[in-house]
Structures are given as structure tokens and as C-alpha cells.
Amino acid sequence: MKRVGWLVVGGLLGAGLVVAPGGPRVGVLPVAAELGLPSAGDGRVEPVVGSAVDVALARQAVALRRGDAAGFLAEVAPGAAGRQARVFRGLRALEAEVGFRRREAWVDPGAVRRYGAGAVTFRVSLRYAVTGLPPAVADLGYTYVVRGGVARLVDVNRLDAVLKSNRQPWDVAELEVVRRPGVVVLVDRGQRARGVRIAAVTAQAAEVVDRLWPGPLQKIPLVVALKNPTVPTNLPATLSGQEPIRIQPMHSARPDGRPVGGWVVVEPSDSVPSLAEVVHGLTHLAAVKMGDEAPRWLAEGFAAYVANLVRPADAVARERAAVAKAVRGRVERLPRDDEFGTTESYRVSWLAVELMVRAVGVGSVTRFYLQVARRGYSEFARARMMQEYAGITAGDLVVNLRGPAA
């Protein structure tokens, strides 16, 4: 999305809005009845509007830092106050360092119809830093009514549909924060006992992943175990019931959005995930800061390989034999990224990575993984790097999967 810096709203004539010039009251008049949902604007904003919104955002950031709930809600309309109060409590509980920055104005005739002249909707960047990670960003859609040089926040949901905003943990739940050495777990208020159990399993899983793959794992895993199924990820499970834990990247403010870390999102449930399930999730988390350019067979296969290290050896051996028997003679190539709609793709990926580890050791596999995750490369370059780092090719893996080595 185009960034316009410290942009302000003015004549959006081409988009179907007229902004009345002059005076502290900025009139925004809808002239196109067919306009519905907000759309990205590219106009100017009266300086008084931009300045008023900037001041309001700065005051909220200062109030949050000071723990001043009354100050945070001072210029928030009653209709938005409940949500904003919950955001304040959640960010304070998480001990987040927070800043807000106004971005571009949106064409939003619905806001004008609902809140009257002077209503302007902006995309706002929330910059937050938690547990020592570098700052991450999330988009918000804030609607203000500016009168007398004062910006009053009247709505925080106008851009939810287009930005998928208001889906961070503090947006949708009253948070209970459980802290243990090296782990932070977010649960719904009243679920502290479950959070303690999840924290214990996560700490144990982090030790497993860190021993096998020293260095990349996020220093403090942030686990989100809320009842709301949309938080904070919008990535559906590939297979129903197959992904009790998923990773949602925390995107940075860099132009490429490269993640600074990630949320470990536990599927809504009353149960606590198993050690193997958490190890699988943390293995994905280990590479999230590098990027998502690794082939999916490598990412899923390596996560399955690491998770199987903490499962009973006899159970893993039986599963390995069953999968090898099922795919022997039928594997033509490694699964493509768009082919993980079947259980077989995951299992073939696991066997392929296990063969790599047996052939060249886990250190060579993780070095190759981090290189391709960071830069991706073409198929040709990836094949050459695989030969260089792992001493094996995709063709070698397929031949062995088809034959007795599997």
C-alpha cells in the first residue's frame, strides 16, 4: 500500500468527496451515493486536521507509557471507548513499547454519513515492541471528527475489512499474561492455570529446538492461546485438525516487511498442546525472521523431523515404516508449495528431510534452510546451494524415497 508519510485530507474531488476549505471545522460532503466501503485516498488534508490527529495519537502514546487510562481515553467517543480501554489494558499487561503514526486518509463516505461533517478515516501504523524484540508494525483504521482543532476518535473499525486490522491479541480479548523464564503466554482472563501449563510445555520445547538449531530461535517465544479463532493470524490451517499451532509473523516497518519475530498461535481449545506439537511450531518460529522463501517441503519436513525427536521412538519407527511403504515407487518429485492439501505431502517431506539429516547431518541441513529462507533463489540456484550445503540433490532424495533407503 502506498505510504504518504504525514499526509493530511483535502480535496478528494476525483474520489467523489469535497472538502470545504477554511476554518477549523472541515466539512466533508459525500457526492457519490454509490460509494460503499472505504477506499484508499490520494488527496490532501487540511493542515488543521492532520495536526489535530497527530496530537491525539501522540497523547495516547504518552498516556499508554505512563499508565494513564483516563488520558488514553480523553478524546475517545463513547462508542469506541470500550474497545480502546481493552487495548490499553492489554498493551500495558504485555509491557509493550508503543507508538502511533498517521498514514494516508481514506475515502469513507459511510463515516461521513454516520458521524457527520468533519469525519475523516486514516490508516494508522501501530509500532509496538515486546519482550525485547525490534519494533513490529500493525495497521489500524481510525476515524476522527475534527472540530475546533481537536481530533476526537469516534470509530476504530472502519478499515477492518480492507486492512484486516483489530486482530491483535489486545484488540479482541481481556488478556492474562503468564511469564516464565524465556516464555510469555497470552490467555483469556480467567485462564491463567491453562497459561501456566502452556508456558511449561513451551519452555521445554524451546530447549529442544535451541539445542538442535542454536541461534535462530526467537529469544522469548510469544504464545497466543485465546478463544477467539481470528487472532492474530488469518492463515487457515492447510488440513483441518492438522495444525494445532501456527506461526504469525510480526512484520517490521522495513519496506520489505521482513519479520522481527512471530506469534506462536495455539488453536482455540481447552486443552494444552503436546510437547511434539509445540516443538513443531517453534521450529517454524526459528526461521521466521529470515523470511518465508524456503521450499515448503523443507520447512514442513524439518519441523516434523524435530518434533519426532520428542515422540516415543517406537511410534516414530512404525509411522516411518508405514509412510515409506505407502510412497515407495510412487514418488516422482518433492512436493511443490501448493500441494500441501494432503497428508502425504507432509509425510514425504518428513522422510526427505530425515534422509538429508542421515546423509549430511543436521547442521548442514539448517545452514541450507537459513540460506534459502532468507533469499529464496531460483530453482537452479537453490539446487546448486543444496548440493553445496547438503551434499545432496532433490533428485537424490527422490531416488532414495522411491527405493530401499526410505
Side-chain angles (χ1 to χ4, degrees):
M1 180 177 293
K2 181 178 178 183
R3 288 187 177 177
V4 197
W6 295 99
L7 189 97
V8 237
V9 186
L12 298 174
L13 293 171
L17 296 184
V18 177
V19 179
R25 290 174 63 101
V26 181
V28 185
L29 308 176
V31 296
E34 71 273 17
L35 290 176
L37 288 174
S39 57
D42 193 21
R44 298 164 301 150
V45 181
E46 294 289 341
V48 67
V49 175
S51 296
V53 171
D54 293 342
V55 168
L57 290 171
R59 285 176 174 169
Q60 280 201 306
V62 171
L64 187 58
R65 187 165 59 248
R66 292 176 175 172
D68 178 8
F72 190 81
L73 300 173
E75 292 299 334
V76 178
R83 170 69 67 87
Q84 287 294 93
R86 184 168 60 206
V87 167
F88 176 87
R89 290 190 294 268
L91 289 170
R92 287 289 300 176
L94 196 50
E95 299 178 359
E97 297 178 17
V98 171
F100 300 95
R101 188 172 184 183
R102 175 174 53 87
R103 297 298 185 180
E104 75 277 359
W106 282 59
V107 179
D108 191 0
V112 176
R113 286 194 295 269
R114 182 168 185 177
Y115 300 109
V120 184
T121 298
F122 290 94
R123 178 172 69 94
V124 172
S125 286
L126 165 66
R127 182 173 293 206
Y128 64 94
V130 290
T131 66
L133 289 171
V137 295
D139 283 336
L140 305 170
Y142 278 5
T143 301
Y144 290 90
V145 172
V146 180
R147 293 194 175 99
V150 177
R152 187 167 177 78
L153 180 61
V154 296
D155 201 318
V156 296
N157 301 115
R158 297 293 306 170
L159 299 185
D160 284 5
V162 287
L163 297 181
K164 292 184 170 60
S165 53
N166 283 317
R167 296 172 71 172
Q168 298 295 328
W170 47 81
D171 290 315
V172 301
E174 290 288 353
L175 298 181
E176 186 103 24
V177 180
V178 177
R179 289 181 171 82
R180 290 293 182 270
V183 178
V184 172
V185 179
L186 310 184
V187 292
D188 295 279
R189 183 170 291 178
Q191 293 287 310
R192 185 172 186 82
R194 178 170 175 257
V196 169
R197 295 196 301 273
I198 292 174
V201 175
T202 304
Q204 187 179 355
E207 291 179 3
V208 172
V209 176
D210 233 3
R211 282 198 305 268
L212 191 73
W213 199 355
L217 184 61
Q218 187 171 304
K219 187 175 181 181
I220 299 180
L222 281 158
V223 182
V224 180
L226 302 176
K227 295 300 179 96
N228 190 309
T230 67
V231 180
T233 179
N234 60 348
L235 302 175
T238 306
L239 294 173
S240 178
Q242 293 295 311
E243 297 181 73
I245 291 180
R246 288 170 282 155
I247 303 303
Q248 175 70 5
M250 297 176 179
H251 294 289
S252 70
R254 290 173 39 165
D256 63 2
R258 184 175 292 279
V260 300
W263 300 103
V264 181
V265 185
V266 178
E267 187 177 70
S269 169
D270 290 326
S271 63
V272 173
S274 70
L275 177 60
E277 289 168 342
V278 180
V279 167
H280 186 284
L282 294 191
T283 304
H284 283 302
L285 178 65
V288 73
K289 290 185 292 186
M290 306 301 171
D292 60 357
E293 297 296 326
R296 193 165 179 185
W297 68 263
L298 178 60
E300 295 294 348
F302 189 67
Y305 166 78
V306 180
N308 281 333
L309 296 178
V310 300
R311 293 178 57 208
D314 57 343
V316 174
R318 286 194 300 271
E319 184 176 352
R320 181 189 300 111
V323 175
K325 181 179 179 181
V327 304
R328 185 168 292 130
R330 297 195 302 107
V331 178
E332 300 294 334
R333 52 175 170 72
L334 297 175
R336 291 194 294 256
D337 287 2
D338 60 355
E339 292 180 335
F340 281 79
T342 66
T343 303
E344 184 169 294
S345 294
Y346 289 89
R347 291 174 174 173
V348 168
S349 300
W350 163 44
L351 292 186
V353 170
E354 193 173 66
L355 284 172
M356 288 180 69
V357 172
R358 275 194 264 161
V360 299
V362 70
S364 294
V365 175
T366 55
R367 286 192 292 272
F368 169 62
Y369 189 150
L370 290 183
Q371 283 297 319
V372 294
R374 184 181 292 116
R375 297 187 177 88
Y377 301 102
S378 65
E379 283 294 329
F380 174 78
R382 188 183 290 172
R384 188 174 62 185
M385 287 185 61
M386 186 172 173
Q387 178 72 59
E388 176 185 344
Y389 279 89
I392 197 171
T393 68
D396 294 333
L397 292 176
V398 171
V399 167
N400 280 277
L401 287 170
R402 288 176 61 85

